[in-house]
Amino acid sequence: MTPSSTTTAVVPPFRRGPVALLALLGQALLLAYTYAKLLFNPGQYLIVDHYDGIKSYFSVASFLRQPLGDGMLVRGHNYPFGEYMYYTDSTPLLVAPLHWLVQAIPALAPYGLYLYDLFILSSILISTGLLVLILRRLAVPAWLAILLAIALPWLGPQTYRLTVGHMSLAYTPAMLFLVWGLQRLYAAWRAGQSLTRHFAMLLVGTVLASWLHFYYLALMVGTLVFFVAVLLYESVRERRPWRPLVVGTAATMAGAVVLTWGLLQLLDPRAKERPVGSNGYDWIEWRFQFTSLFKGYVYNKVTFPLERTAYVPYESVSYLTGFVLFGALLVAVLWLFKRLPVEARLPEPTADATAGFVKYLLLASVPLAFIALGENIEIDNGAYVVHNYLNVFRWLHKITDRVTQFRALGRFIWPFWWAVVLGFSWYVARWRFIPMLRWALVALCALLVVDTVNATHFYQTDTQRPNLLWPEPGTPVQQLLGWADKDRYQAILPIPFYHVGTEWDSEPTNLNVDPDDPHCNTTYQLSMVSGLPLMSHKATRAITSQAEDLYSIFKPGGPNPALLERLDQRPILVFLDTAYYDGRNNYYRDMLRERPTMQAVYERAPVFIREQHLRRIKQQGSWSLYEWYPKGQPTAAPATAPLAQ
C-alpha cells in the first residue's frame, strides 16, 4: 500500500477511554503543578487581583454573603440600587448554585471564591476531554491526540483572558463543545440520519454557555448558522434533503435566543431602563487585527520569523502557535520549491469525511473572522480605510443597534482560531505516513511542548495572587476599620468617586470614571472587611439615571431627592484618599483633564466635605474616614481637618 492510499484510507480510531484517561491524568498533574499555590491553599489566592478580574471577584464575594431572598441582585456596589449579577461578568450559571451551596453550608463561606476558581480552572481539564473526542473523530493518532489535548487548552486566546480577569470568557469548553457538536451533526448529515437530537444537544450547550457569558450566544449561534449554510449548499448540490437542516437551525436559534436574551428580560426588572446599543462597538482596540495571528504571546521563547512587532490589544490576541505557523511555513517552502510530497496533498472532501468536516468548519468560521475585523479596516495607521462589506454585523447594524451589544468584536476570531489549529492538527497527523515529513512532525511536537512549558510557567507566575478581598488581621485596611462600630452605617462612599458601565452619546454625557486599580482594590477591601456596600460601581450596561443620582451627591445643592428617598437615617462612611488631591497621585487629574463634566465632580470633593459638614473620625496616612448624614446630622459638626487642595 502506498503512503498516499494509507492517508486517505479509514484509520481505525484509538480507544477513547484509555486515551482520555491518560490525557486527563497528564493535564491534571500539569494543572496542579501550575496552580499549586491556589489549589492547595484554599481561600488564600485568586487567579488575578486587578482590573475586571477583581471586580468580578468582589461581585461574587459580596453576593455570596447575601441572603437567598435577594435573588440575583448584588447589593455590594451601586448602593442603594445594587446591580443584577447578569451585568457584572460573574458567570451567573455558576454563581447562582454556588450562592445556594454557601448559604446552605455556612462553613463553606470563606471558600466561595476558591470554589469559583476551581470551576474556572476545571475548564482546562474539560477542554482536554473534549479535545480527545474531537481529535478521535479527526483520525489523529493516540499519542498526538494526548499531546494536543494537553497543550492546546493552555495556548488558546481564551485562556489568555485569565491575565485580565475575564474568567467567564476564558471558559474554553464552550467553543470546543460547539466543535464536537458540529462534528456529530455533520456525521449524521453525511450518513442521512436524523438530526433532531444533535440540534437539541447544540441548543442545550449554547444556552448553558450563554449563561456563563452572553458573548457565547453570538459566537456559537453564528458558527452554527454558517456551518449549516455550507451543508445546505452541499445538500442542494448533491440532492440531499435540506429541510431538516433549515428547521433544526431555526429551532435552535429561536430556542437559544428565547432562553437567553428573552429570559433575561424577565429576570431583570430594570431591562427597559437599559440602553439598546452599546458604546465601544467597532473601536479599534476591541477589533481583531489580522497580524495578531503572527504575534507571539509574552511567554513565547521561540518566535516566528514573520512576527508583528507592534503592540496587540488583549481583545485581539490570537497567536496561531508555533506548531501551526512553523508547520505552515515548511509546507509553503516545500511547495514553492516543488518538494512537497504528493502524499501531503489534501484529499477531496467528498471522498474523505474528516477532510469534509475540516473544510466546512473552516468555511463556517471565516464569516466570523470578518465580523472580528470590524466594519472598517484601517491600513497604514488610518491613512486608508477598507469598508468591510463582508461583515454581517455591518448590515445588521443598519437594522438595529442591539447588535452593538457584542461590541468587543475581536472575540469573534475564536472559532476561526480553533478551526485553523484543529484543521492543521488533522493535516500534520497524516505526516506520520510520509517518510520525508516524519522528522518535521517530531520537530513540531517538540515546539508544542516548549510553548506549553513556557505558557504554564507564565500562568504560574503572572496569575495566582494573594486574596486581597480577605485581608489578614493587621493589614492597613483592618487597622483603619478595626475601631469602628460598622453596623451603625449604611454604606461606604469612596472619594475619589468612580462609576463605570453607563452608555453615552457625547463627552458631556459620559459619566464613566474608571478607578485607579489600587484605589478600587482598597474600596473593595473596605467593603469586605466592614460588610458595608459601596456607593461606587463597576459593571456593564449600567443605568444612566442611577449614575446621575449618585453623582448628584457632589452637586452644589446636594443629592437628588430621588436618591435621598432611597437612603435611610443612618450615616454613610466616607473614605477619602488625599493622595489623589495633594499631588502625590495625579491619576484622576490627568485622566479627566479633557473631561470638564467629570473633572468638576472630582474637584468638588473638598467642597462636598465642607458643605455637608462631614466629621472626620479616623486618619491613617493619606486615608481618612468621615461620617456623613445625608438626611441631616443629629448634631452639626464641621470636619476636624481640612482637605488638602
Side-chain angles (χ1 to χ4, degrees):
M1 182 178 289
T2 65
S4 61
S5 62
T6 301
T7 58
T8 56
V10 177
V11 179
F14 54 72
R15 294 177 61 191
R16 180 175 54 191
V19 172
L21 182 61
L22 285 173
L24 289 171
L25 179 60
Q27 189 67 279
L29 292 174
L30 185 58
L31 183 63
Y33 172 76
T34 304
Y35 279 100
K37 286 196 299 186
L38 189 152
L39 294 174
F40 299 118
N41 297 280
Q44 296 184 30
Y45 291 89
L46 302 173
I47 294 176
V48 294
D49 62 356
H50 55 268
Y51 195 50
D52 282 356
I54 197 63
K55 176 253 303 191
S56 298
Y57 279 128
F58 173 72
S59 297
V60 173
S62 59
F63 178 70
L64 294 181
R65 67 186 180 187
Q66 297 176 189
L68 292 172
D70 286 337
M72 294 296 283
L73 183 66
V74 184
R75 297 191 181 277
H77 44 181
N78 202 40
Y79 182 85
F81 308 101
E83 183 56 282
Y84 284 91
M85 181 60 67
Y86 322 115
Y87 302 97
T88 61
D89 291 329
S90 300
T91 326
L93 183 69
L94 166 63
V95 174
L98 184 59
H99 187 202
W100 178 89
L101 180 64
V102 168
Q103 291 294 317
I105 309 175
L108 293 177
Y111 307 105
L113 294 181
Y114 175 72
L115 296 174
Y116 179 85
D117 277 342
L118 285 184
F119 176 84
I120 298 302
L121 293 178
S122 72
S123 68
I124 295 176
L125 271 178
I126 297 172
S127 297
T128 296
L130 285 169
L131 280 167
V132 168
L133 297 177
I134 292 168
L135 294 168
R136 181 175 184 267
R137 286 179 173 268
L138 292 179
V140 172
W143 64 269
L144 182 56
I146 293 173
L147 177 60
L148 290 166
I150 293 175
L152 293 182
W154 295 100
L155 304 178
Q158 285 182 258
T159 306
Y160 195 77
R161 305 309 287 257
L162 291 177
T163 62
V164 291
H166 293 173
M167 274 75 77
S168 303
L169 292 170
Y171 201 76
T172 309
M175 299 309 302
L176 290 175
F177 171 84
L178 174 67
V179 174
W180 179 62
L182 293 178
Q183 274 187 319
R184 294 169 60 88
L185 178 70
Y186 172 75
W189 169 82
R190 190 178 178 95
Q193 299 171 352
S194 172
L195 307 179
T196 303
R197 65 189 181 96
H198 301 291
F199 278 117
M201 182 181 68
L202 286 166
L203 171 61
V204 172
T206 300
V207 171
L208 293 178
S210 299
W211 283 104
L212 294 176
H213 199 289
F214 275 89
Y215 265 84
Y216 292 129
L217 174 64
L219 287 167
M220 297 176 76
V221 169
T223 306
L224 171 63
V225 168
F226 291 120
F227 187 84
V228 171
V230 177
L231 294 187
L232 280 172
Y233 170 79
E234 294 294 336
S235 296
V236 173
R237 191 171 65 86
E238 298 176 10
R239 299 182 183 276
R240 289 172 173 265
W242 54 269
R243 287 185 179 84
L245 287 170
V246 174
V247 172
T249 304
T252 302
M253 286 180 59
V257 171
V258 168
L259 294 175
T260 54
W261 179 80
L263 186 57
L264 179 62
Q265 306 311 298
L266 298 176
L267 296 175
D268 177 15
R270 304 170 182 171
K272 293 182 179 179
E273 300 178 66
R274 302 189 191 276
V276 173
S278 181
N279 293 127
Y281 174 77
D282 211 32
W283 182 36
I284 190 169
E285 289 288 310
W286 288 351
R287 296 198 310 247
F288 166 66
Q289 298 171 25
F290 177 76
T291 52
S292 64
L293 294 172
F294 310 98
K295 173 68 172 179
Y297 298 114
V298 294
Y299 57 74
N300 286 111
K301 305 300 182 184
V302 181
T303 56
F304 187 63
L306 177 63
E307 184 169 23
R308 170 183 171 138
T309 57
Y311 162 76
V312 172
Y314 66 83
E315 289 290 0
S316 192
V317 292
S318 50
Y319 183 56
L320 280 173
T321 74
F323 174 76
V324 173
L325 293 176
F326 278 96
L329 179 62
L330 175 62
V331 171
V333 171
L334 291 176
W335 177 83
L336 182 64
F337 289 97
K338 299 182 180 180
R339 301 288 295 174
L340 186 67
V342 175
E343 301 90 337
R345 295 176 182 175
L346 295 175
E348 286 294 328
T350 54
D352 188 311
T354 307
F357 173 76
V358 170
K359 172 186 175 183
Y360 298 161
L361 181 64
L362 185 59
L363 288 174
S365 67
V366 168
L368 281 91
F370 278 109
I371 293 175
L373 288 167
E375 294 191 8
N376 298 296
I377 304 169
E378 297 181 12
I379 301 176
D380 190 19
N381 295 322
Y384 298 92
V385 173
V386 176
H387 299 292
N388 187 6
Y389 294 113
L390 296 177
N391 181 353
V392 175
F393 275 19
R394 183 186 187 93
W395 306 107
L396 290 176
H397 192 192
K398 296 180 182 296
I399 301 173
T400 174
D401 280 340
R402 196 170 295 279
V403 73
T404 64
Q405 293 287 349
F406 300 105
R407 59 189 179 183
L409 297 176
R411 299 169 188 176
F412 284 85
I413 199 61
W414 298 344
F416 180 81
W417 189 92
W418 279 110
V420 171
V421 172
L422 291 173
F424 189 79
S425 300
W426 160 80
Y427 172 66
V428 297
R430 298 155 46 87
W431 291 6
R432 68 192 190 277
F433 298 118
I434 307 173
M436 180 180 176
L437 292 177
R438 285 174 185 164
W439 64 269
L441 179 58
V442 173
L444 292 180
C445 289
L447 182 58
L448 195 64
V449 172
V450 170
D451 283 351
T452 304
V453 170
N454 292 331
T456 53
H457 177 72
F458 168 75
Y459 289 114
Q460 184 182 56
T461 55
D462 200 68
T463 59
Q464 294 188 108
R465 302 299 184 186
N467 185 356
L468 61 84
L469 294 181
W470 295 101
E472 296 291 334
T475 54
V477 168
Q478 290 277 13
Q479 294 174 2
L480 184 68
L481 283 173
W483 58 271
D485 178 12
K486 297 177 283 290
D487 292 338
R488 67 187 296 263
Y489 300 100
Q490 58 178 309
I492 296 174
L493 174 65
I495 299 178
F497 186 72
Y498 60 90
H499 198 285
V500 184
T502 58
E503 308 299 331
W504 49 280
D505 297 321
S506 57
E507 183 48 48
T509 63
N510 184 1
L511 302 178
N512 294 288
V513 175
D514 285 290
D516 191 19
D517 244 18
H519 177 57
C520 183
N521 288 352
T522 300
T523 63
Y524 287 161
Q525 286 183 311
L526 288 168
S527 177
M528 293 305 299
V529 171
S530 67
L532 297 173
L534 295 172
M535 301 188 80
S536 55
H537 189 40
K538 278 185 72 176
T540 58
R541 285 55 170 179
I543 298 173
T544 301
S545 62
Q546 294 178 357
E548 290 173 341
D549 282 344
L550 288 167
Y551 280 121
S552 73
I553 291 172
F554 302 96
K555 291 195 312 185
N560 290 342
L563 178 64
L564 289 175
E565 288 179 7
R566 287 180 169 270
L567 303 177
D568 58 41
Q569 296 295 331
R570 292 175 296 167
I572 286 173
L573 198 61
V574 177
F575 167 71
L576 168 71
D577 190 343
T578 56
Y580 292 101
Y581 290 90
D582 60 15
R584 282 177 286 176
N585 191 324
N586 291 321
Y587 170 86
Y588 292 97
R589 184 172 284 116
D590 293 342
M591 180 180 66
L592 301 174
R593 193 178 303 278
E594 298 180 1
R595 298 183 55 196
T597 303
M598 290 295 99
Q599 186 181 45
V601 173
Y602 160 75
E603 292 178 345
R604 268 197 56 82
V607 181
F608 162 75
I609 288 178
R610 290 194 297 268
E611 287 182 348
Q612 295 292 320
H613 306 294
L614 269 63
R615 182 171 66 91
R616 187 164 63 192
I617 52 181
K618 179 72 172 181
Q619 183 176 12
Q620 182 176 302
S622 65
W623 295 349
S624 294
L625 290 177
Y626 292 83
E627 277 187 354
W628 173 41
Y629 288 83
K631 293 192 174 183
Q633 303 181 37
T635 55
T640 58
L643 178 64
Q645 299 292 328

